[in-house]
Amino acid sequence: VSTQSFFFFFFFFFFEMPSPPLCRLSLLLLTLVATSLLSIAEAQGPGGGSSSSSSNYFDRLRDSFYDALLGILLVSISIPLLWLNEGKHIKMQRLFEFGQKAVIPVEDAKCQSQNQGKLVHVTGQADTTTEVRDPDLGINAGRQLRLRREVAMYQWVEHTTTSTKENWGGTKETVTKYSYSSEWKDYPVDSSNFHTPQFPSNPPAWPVTSGSWDAVPVTLGEFALSGQILSMLTNWQNRPVTERDVAALPEAMRHVVQVHDSCLYIPANSEKIDLHAETTPTVGDHHRDRDPDHNSDQLSSLTLRRMDQQPQIGDVRVRYELIPVGPVSLIARQTHAGFVGYRVAKNKGEDDGEAAGLLNGTVKALSTSRWDDEFESH
């Protein structure tokens, strides 16, 4: 029953029922109390409560006036922004047309002196002689171009829903309801800003965070690929975590983690683990017997539950992705045995200091039959 319905009910009985004035006065007081309680009940939302704000007719008229001014302002700003965007589109179209005419195909990824300072298109096998590894957890991905660690924590997340209703006298009331759910998030959720202050908080510290590492050096035929060029390659592939990788973990963490669905799970309250308490063990140590009495403080945080199916607030999930060695296609300016962005001058005779545009390297990671990804930096 809404507050408005209760008012209709009261007025009907107040004026139609034959009753003494004292009874009517008692009924009036009782109705006011009941209406207040009903309003409070309507404002309370499941799973975290709610907050409400009301506005009268003049407030709504003022808000409409502000909305009209904002609309006029947005229209005034959109016209020059549209003009600038169209100008940039035309500029980039001209740059690409210039690139199609000026680009020089390079066969077998050979570094030729006559191409120094020119726009070249090189296709070949990106390769490396080094192994890329996670320096924090010690997991070795082997001979790959790039390795990325993605970390997520099981945290409380606040959700808000807003509804508006009109009351008697032309006033409008806005009710915001708050609810909470536990979810995997790859960024810290600040629970101190939750609307419900007594709600359980999220852990303030993470045992590990996300990161990425590149192999050094990486070659493309006779050329060397810099870190900036490698950052344009993002054809990531899943790198499963196995029980064998557990042997590479720091000793303090090795006994508390779980491996499920190609991911590494670290239990809650493990942010105090010192990742550098011991040097990285060898793979052969994986088959040794684990001492049940070792690191009892760390083992106390490990339960028999599966953290992928029954996660708790503070559990951490770690997954890895990599970019393997393979064919790469690159368009950039050749400089010695490397690549940089290509500058296009306004008119003939102008030097790079008066350049009107910058056509940076375009890198594509190739598969056997199609482009996997394309990346452009302006």
Side-chain angles (χ1 to χ4, degrees):
V1 181
S2 63
T3 307
Q4 290 87 345
S5 301
F6 196 86
F7 264 117
F8 279 118
F9 177 81
F10 162 72
F11 279 115
F12 175 79
F13 282 95
F14 186 81
F15 290 104
E16 297 298 331
M17 284 182 57
S19 58
L22 185 58
C23 292
R24 293 192 179 188
L25 182 59
S26 301
L27 181 60
L28 175 61
L29 294 176
L30 204 54
T31 304
L32 292 177
V33 174
T35 305
S36 301
L37 294 176
L38 186 60
S39 299
I40 295 175
E42 288 179 352
Q44 294 293 329
S50 64
S51 63
S52 62
S53 60
S54 59
S55 59
N56 54 32
Y57 175 79
F58 296 101
D59 293 334
R60 295 167 59 186
L61 184 61
R62 179 196 59 195
D63 294 339
S64 300
F65 178 73
Y66 288 157
D67 291 341
L69 290 181
L70 180 61
I72 296 174
L73 180 62
L74 291 177
V75 171
S76 303
I77 295 177
S78 62
I79 295 176
L81 287 179
L82 181 62
W83 180 81
L84 292 175
N85 182 68
E86 291 297 324
K88 182 179 179 180
H89 176 75
I90 295 174
K91 177 182 176 180
M92 294 307 302
Q93 184 65 29
R94 291 177 178 175
L95 286 174
F96 289 134
E97 290 176 356
F98 172 84
Q100 290 177 350
K101 297 178 181 178
V103 68
I104 300 175
V106 177
E107 298 181 357
D108 301 327
K110 292 183 178 180
C111 181
Q112 302 175 357
S113 58
Q114 63 268 26
N115 293 334
Q116 293 296 322
K118 297 181 180 179
L119 186 66
V120 295
H121 178 205
V122 183
T123 301
Q125 184 82 2
D127 203 352
T128 182
T129 58
T130 60
E131 296 181 343
V132 60
R133 60 187 296 272
D134 181 349
D136 299 321
L137 301 183
I139 294 181
N140 194 328
R143 195 169 59 88
Q144 312 293 342
L145 299 182
R146 306 189 69 189
L147 177 66
R148 179 169 67 181
R149 180 181 68 203
E150 294 184 335
V151 181
M153 178 180 285
Y154 203 64
Q155 304 175 80
W156 287 114
V157 180
E158 183 180 67
H159 304 278
T160 59
T161 56
T162 303
S163 60
T164 303
K165 63 178 181 179
E166 294 189 7
N167 298 325
W168 290 93
T171 61
K172 181 185 294 185
E173 183 179 7
T174 302
V175 179
T176 304
K177 296 183 179 181
Y178 300 88
S179 60
Y180 300 88
S181 63
S182 50
E183 304 173 11
W184 289 103
K185 292 294 182 181
D186 58 0
Y187 58 88
V189 178
D190 188 4
S191 56
S192 63
N193 294 327
F194 285 172
H195 177 264
T196 307
Q198 68 272 18
F199 203 82
S201 60
N202 290 321
W206 292 38
V208 290
T209 56
S210 300
S212 62
W213 303 270
D214 300 335
V216 179
V218 176
T219 58
L220 177 61
E222 298 180 355
F223 297 95
L225 299 183
S226 63
Q228 181 181 9
I229 295 295
L230 290 178
S231 65
M232 298 181 184
L233 292 172
T234 55
N235 57 320
W236 297 100
Q237 300 179 12
N238 183 43
R239 195 278 186 188
V241 179
T242 64
E243 288 289 346
R244 186 178 180 86
D245 294 321
V246 176
L249 297 176
E251 180 69 19
M253 183 179 291
R254 196 186 311 169
H255 300 281
V256 299
V257 299
Q258 295 179 9
V259 177
H260 300 295
D261 299 329
S262 303
C263 296
L264 187 70
Y265 288 85
I266 306 173
N269 302 321
S270 59
E271 63 273 4
K272 298 180 181 180
I273 294 179
D274 186 4
L275 298 181
H276 306 287
E278 182 184 292
T279 57
T280 302
T282 60
V283 176
D285 291 337
H286 174 64
H287 299 287
R288 67 177 177 85
D289 294 333
R290 297 182 179 180
D291 183 4
D293 297 327
H294 182 74
N295 275 343
S296 58
D297 293 339
Q298 306 293 347
L299 290 171
S300 61
S301 63
L302 181 62
T303 63
L304 296 178
R305 63 182 174 88
R306 284 191 51 163
M307 284 181 276
D308 61 327
Q309 298 178 356
Q310 297 175 321
Q312 293 181 359
I313 298 300
D315 287 350
V316 174
R317 181 185 65 196
V318 182
R319 64 187 302 264
Y320 286 92
E321 291 181 331
L322 57 81
I323 297 180
V325 297
V328 168
S329 179
L330 183 145
I331 300 176
R333 176 185 178 184
Q334 178 180 325
T335 169
H336 303 293
F339 305 97
V340 295
Y342 188 88
R343 289 189 174 273
V344 182
K346 290 182 180 179
N347 302 305
K348 293 182 178 180
E350 292 182 344
D351 56 16
D352 287 347
E354 299 175 340
L358 176 63
L359 187 62
N360 266 359
T362 298
V363 182
K364 297 179 179 180
L366 297 174
S367 65
T368 56
S369 60
R370 62 181 179 87
W371 299 110
D372 277 342
D373 297 279
E374 178 176 349
F375 306 93
E376 294 174 358
S377 177
H378 304 307

